Amino acid sequence: MNDILRVHDIIESSGIYGPGDRFVLWVQGCTLGCKGCWNKETWDSKKGFNMRIDEIVSQVVNIEGIEGITILGGEPLQQSDAILNLMRKIRSQGLTIMLYTGFELDELNGSAKECCEIADILIAGRYIESLRDPYLRWRGSSNQILESPTGAYNLESIEDFQELEIFISNETGEIIVTGYPDEV
């Protein structure tokens, strides 16, 4: 099983990418090319950096108060063997997993399908610019599904509203806005 993941970025603690305080991991590489995607910088698989799965797990479990990890991209399932390895190791630590994919469930098999089946929260489906709705909780467009394959979360109680976080880099002073803003 693959123990290296191509990564775009990490936020060690976020309150908007799923329930509770979450470690957020953006993978690098996506060939889906959804029109209007606001993460185009994650598309080129030659960019980003490599991380060992064990290094990611160690980083996650050493953050106090983390409920789980949220994995998005890029397209996580284009690295499905490594993602499955990561998900299994995170699960063994008693943490929850939220997974984003632009794939439709009927397009998946093998390790990609298994990733979706063991996610505690799954957001699936291509981003469709004409169906964009910044007030959908955790989704970008109204066609995307939101479900809890493991049943760990009751998503019927989830209210839709717009969420944003603003981070200021300690190193560069750069302002980073995450979430689903009205303007991209």
Side-chain angles (χ1 to χ4, degrees):
M1 182 159 288
N2 195 338
D3 67 345
I4 301 287
L5 189 63
R6 193 77 181 157
V7 173
H8 173 75
D9 202 4
I10 288 172
I11 293 177
E12 290 188 346
S13 178
S14 171
I16 67 166
Y17 284 101
D21 198 18
R22 306 191 75 77
F23 184 95
V24 184
L25 173 74
W26 283 267
V27 302
Q28 186 71 40
C30 179
T31 60
L32 297 179
C34 297
K35 181 181 178 197
C37 173
W38 56 84
N39 284 339
K40 288 181 182 175
E41 68 276 5
T42 67
W43 288 7
D44 186 347
S45 61
K46 292 178 179 70
K47 293 184 178 179
F49 54 96
N50 288 336
M51 282 187 79
R52 295 183 54 76
I53 298 299
D54 289 341
E55 179 185 357
I56 297 168
V57 173
S58 176
Q59 204 173 344
V60 173
V61 300
N62 285 311
I63 300 171
E64 192 172 321
I66 288 290
E67 182 168 333
I69 186 172
T70 297
I71 306 166
L72 60 166
E75 175 47 58
L77 297 185
Q78 290 181 336
Q79 299 182 65
S80 62
D81 288 343
I83 293 292
L84 182 57
N85 186 7
L86 173 64
M87 291 175 74
R88 286 176 175 162
K89 289 182 177 190
I90 291 292
R91 171 84 63 234
S92 75
Q93 297 296 316
L95 298 170
T96 62
I97 302 162
M98 183 166 172
L99 175 67
Y100 282 79
T101 181
F103 287 109
E104 303 294 332
L105 297 180
D106 63 0
E107 295 178 288
L108 302 172
N109 56 44
S111 59
K113 184 176 180 180
E114 189 173 346
C115 288
C116 293
E117 292 169 348
I118 69 170
D120 295 302
I121 297 179
L122 175 67
I123 291 90
R126 306 267 190 310
Y127 171 72
I128 298 176
E129 187 175 38
S130 64
L131 299 177
R132 175 175 165 69
D133 184 344
Y135 295 95
L136 290 172
R137 188 110 187 246
W138 305 326
R139 292 159 288 153
S141 59
S142 61
N143 62 296
Q144 295 173 312
I145 66 161
L146 171 65
E147 60 183 39
S148 179
T150 64
Y153 291 97
N154 175 6
L155 298 177
E156 291 178 19
S157 64
I158 299 298
E159 293 182 41
D160 287 331
F161 58 89
Q162 186 176 38
E163 292 181 286
L164 301 173
E165 277 183 326
I166 299 172
F167 297 92
I168 301 173
S169 170
N170 290 332
E171 297 156 7
T172 65
E174 177 185 15
I175 296 173
I176 302 162
V177 177
T178 63
Y180 303 98
D182 282 330
E183 294 186 26
V184 281

